[in-house]
Amino acid sequence: MTNAKLEGTQPQSIISGVAYQRCINPQCGYTLDVGQVRTACDRCGDLLDIEYDWDRIRVPSQLSHFEQMWLQRHSPLRFSGVWRFHELLPFAPAEKVVTVGEGQTLLQKANFVANFVGLEKENLFLQYEGMNPSGSFKDNGMCAAITHAHLTGARRAACASTGNTSASLAMYSSVTGLMKAIIFIGSGKISYGKLSQALEYGALTVQIAGDFDDAMQRVREVSKDLGIYVVNSINPFRLEGQKTIMFRVLEALRWQVPDWIVVPGGNLGNSSAFGKAFIELKQLGLIERVPRLAVINAAGADTLYQLYSRRGLRWNSGQPDMGVVRDYYDDLDSRSAKADTIASAIEINRPVNLTKCLRALDFCDGVVRRVTDQEILDAKAQVGAGGIGCEPASAASVAGAKLLREEGVIAPSDRVVCILTGHQLKDPTATVAYHTTDQEKFNEVLGSRGVSRASFANRAVAVPNEVEAIVRAIQLYS
Ligand SMILES: *Cc1c(COP(=O)(O)O)cnc(C)c1O
Ligand SMILES: [Zn+2]
């Protein structure tokens, strides 16, 4: 390991020499102190990773060690489902980390949904990341990014968002009072549940006449000009926090590695973080076997599927054929193609973490599939009917698992974990439209998306305002 020379004004509070930033392109390998703020490699422009000098960290020899952290939950550091695993993401001193109690999430054995997916009973698990304080998995990463932002002296943090990143950033900013949140949203695409959070938590909300991919581009430019800290998932510290989702999945399975992890793919931060978690656990000898990874795109935002499954793009030992990617994007531009799916959280055509995700797919023998909005909403209805529920994008994981089961890629006896990335109440518009009896409402919200039926609708029963009619209806339907 060669640490880059410290540049400019270095905050002394950050551990130096234990953690560092490194370009993910092995041929470049540029390194940088963790005190520096970058969203890309200075030398080649590729993504950055946080790397650790593991020999100098006291990593527990058994994963079960982390269960004992829960006994110390009176300490905010141990109460956090992220910082409980501090030894596996030690880029900041333990006493400096930011937490609002994120990561108290649930892995549920979901037999009802297993039946829908086509798995043997007891074999499907749903990881409810919607139980986080701001209602999505983003809090796992945001606490890590805000920790780093604060250590580097940031007073303003920004993100482009399809909704949940901004809700999370806005929440951390207001709870901690450490910095001002500035969020960039595209026009019209953000769900009310998410927008209402950002507004209420007091974030400066900049609505751009464009889509998410435009907002993402602008936030990078504007933040660079103004020196604002960017918390999108191009921020490598965020992904460190998101590794802990996998640690908690393993913990809930009593440290047994499942056969499959299935996750929706948008900007591909989560899938990238999961891959890195398994690379490191394996390297540290904390697991023997690695699960397979399935990343699921929405059919209306299927860049990863197109590149990986149709055009054969691979990590290729860190030298993916970026010509294939450029050609694909040029083609999107020439057709003025825009991402379009009811699963707004994954309505992204230019995933910023593409190369990291390729690495994760390579390490975890991954597959990529795409599912239609019809399949997403039907899967979401089944997840909801099984209890707790999720937002549309999250259900892509369950729809994807079902598809892979039908293809025979996943066997009925495989143990499968689907990540439910966001809370059921994030996007009530889609849910109510699905279950409505009002055909016009259904068409308005879902018809344009190619959704033609609500296979598992639970429709309200209309009755006259009379006791007798109500009694009759209840007896008929229950
Ligand atoms: C952000 C988000 C995703 C997409 O995750 P990526 O890491 O960008 O691939 C999926 N589902 C929900 C609910 C999200 O908020
Ligand atoms: Zn580089």
Side-chain angles (χ1 to χ4, degrees):
M1 179 197 111
T2 49
N3 263 330
K5 283 249 165 60
L6 304 186
E7 300 162 23
T9 50
Q10 272 301 308
Q12 293 305 307
S13 49
I14 292 190
I15 299 175
S16 218
V18 176
Y20 57 100
Q21 307 188 60
R22 186 170 68 191
C23 176
I24 68 159
N25 178 344
Q27 295 213 325
C28 172
Y30 183 73
T31 63
L32 201 64
D33 187 85
V34 275
Q36 296 292 324
V37 179
R38 297 284 191 286
T39 53
C41 172
D42 293 335
R43 196 187 285 159
C44 76
D46 213 327
L47 297 163
L48 294 168
D49 257 340
I50 310 307
E51 294 285 338
Y52 304 98
D53 202 351
W54 293 113
D55 296 341
R56 298 173 59 191
I57 301 159
R58 295 225 322 266
V59 181
S61 58
Q62 300 263 313
L63 278 169
S64 54
H65 158 87
F66 291 104
E67 278 172 43
Q68 276 133 48
M69 295 299 108
W70 185 237
L71 301 177
Q72 301 164 30
R73 62 187 174 277
H74 50 86
S75 152
L77 179 74
R78 300 312 186 194
F79 181 76
S80 166
V82 171
W83 300 117
R84 242 173 344 112
F85 299 95
H86 182 254
E87 288 101 322
L88 297 173
L89 56 152
F91 65 82
E95 66 280 8
K96 297 271 169 119
V97 304
V98 172
T99 176
V100 305
E102 57 287 320
Q104 305 304 326
T105 59
L106 170 75
L107 184 82
Q108 181 205 35
K109 189 182 284 176
N111 290 344
F112 177 79
V113 189
N115 187 46
F116 168 72
V117 169
L119 286 165
E120 283 167 12
K121 215 172 139 190
E122 316 273 300
N123 276 356
L124 180 70
F125 298 83
L126 301 177
Q127 173 71 9
Y128 283 99
E129 288 299 313
M131 296 168 79
N132 274 291
S134 84
S136 84
F137 79 82
K138 299 295 197 298
D139 295 347
N140 291 283
M142 200 56 69
C143 63
I146 297 296
T147 293
H148 183 247
H150 181 49
L151 285 171
T152 60
R155 302 292 305 149
R156 292 184 293 190
C159 68
S161 182
T162 59
N164 282 331
T165 304
S166 55
S168 184
L169 169 61
M171 182 195 72
Y172 276 93
S173 302
S174 52
V175 174
T176 63
L178 292 174
M179 59 198 77
K180 177 77 184 174
I182 304 170
I183 66 165
F184 287 59
I185 57 175
S187 31
K189 293 298 181 98
I190 185 168
S191 78
Y192 266 18
K194 301 172 191 182
L195 181 60
S196 64
Q197 289 181 286
L199 295 174
E200 188 147 272
Y201 299 149
L204 169 62
T205 305
V206 184
Q207 187 155 15
I208 295 175
D211 65 4
F212 173 82
D213 294 307
D214 297 320
M216 187 70 237
Q217 190 56 35
R218 296 294 92 75
V219 84
R220 287 172 106 153
E221 293 161 2
V222 172
S223 299
K224 199 163 182 204
D225 289 350
L226 297 178
I228 298 172
Y229 191 93
V230 177
V231 299
N232 275 100
S233 55
I234 35 173
N235 179 313
F237 294 92
R238 234 188 79 184
L239 301 196
E240 290 306 291
Q242 287 170 214
K243 292 190 307 194
T244 65
I245 300 170
M246 290 300 103
F247 304 156
R248 296 197 303 273
V249 164
L250 294 183
E251 183 178 46
L253 293 173
R254 306 310 315 270
W255 311 109
Q256 285 178 7
V257 178
D259 296 304
W260 288 91
I261 300 288
V262 190
V263 62
N267 247 336
L268 307 178
N270 238 1
S271 44
S272 298
F274 296 176
K276 188 169 187 284
F278 290 118
I279 290 171
E280 291 172 351
L281 290 178
K282 188 87 199 315
Q283 183 193 342
L284 291 167
L286 291 167
I287 54 172
E288 282 169 13
R289 197 169 66 82
V290 173
R292 294 190 70 185
L293 181 66
V295 184
I296 313 300
N297 274 165
D302 64 348
T303 293
L304 182 68
Y305 171 79
Q306 291 294 341
L307 293 173
Y308 186 83
S309 301
R310 287 282 179 83
R311 290 162 180 76
L313 181 70
R314 289 295 181 275
W315 170 241
N316 189 27
S317 311
Q319 302 298 310
D321 184 352
M322 295 310 283
V324 173
V325 181
R326 277 190 297 274
D327 287 351
Y328 182 74
Y329 287 158
D330 285 348
D331 180 53
L332 285 184
D333 286 342
S334 71
R335 291 186 284 122
S336 300
K338 294 286 177 197
D340 183 25
T341 166
I342 192 80
S344 56
I346 52 174
E347 191 176 45
I348 295 171
N349 263 348
R350 292 173 188 265
V352 295
N353 287 298
L354 176 64
T355 47
K356 275 188 184 172
C357 179
L358 292 174
R359 179 178 66 181
L361 289 163
D362 181 68
F363 188 74
C364 298
D365 190 13
V367 297
V368 180
R369 292 293 184 274
R370 58 175 188 171
V371 290
T372 64
D373 283 5
Q374 178 77 58
E375 291 164 331
I376 287 173
L377 288 182
D378 285 341
K380 177 174 130 53
Q382 289 286 286
V383 171
I388 308 179
C390 65
E391 68 166 279
S394 313
S397 62
V398 173
K402 180 174 163 62
L403 176 63
L404 288 163
R405 238 329 276 122
E406 284 161 5
E407 290 177 1
V409 176
I410 293 180
S413 57
D414 284 350
R415 287 183 110 198
V416 179
V417 177
C418 291
I419 311 301
L420 299 184
T421 45
H423 198 281
Q424 200 262 357
L425 295 175
K426 286 281 191 175
D427 189 359
T429 311
T431 309
V432 173
Y434 183 89
H435 293 285
T436 188
T437 50
D438 179 349
Q439 193 61 37
E440 231 169 86
K441 183 89 207 152
F442 181 92
N443 289 340
E444 184 197 322
V445 181
L446 305 175
S448 64
R449 293 262 162 59
V451 180
S452 61
R453 58 187 189 281
S455 315
F456 306 106
N458 176 28
R459 299 209 166 83
V461 179
V463 285
N465 185 15
E466 293 163 8
V467 169
E468 242 176 73
I470 297 170
V471 167
R472 230 180 301 126
I474 291 174
Q475 279 172 339
L476 187 61
Y477 290 107
S478 67

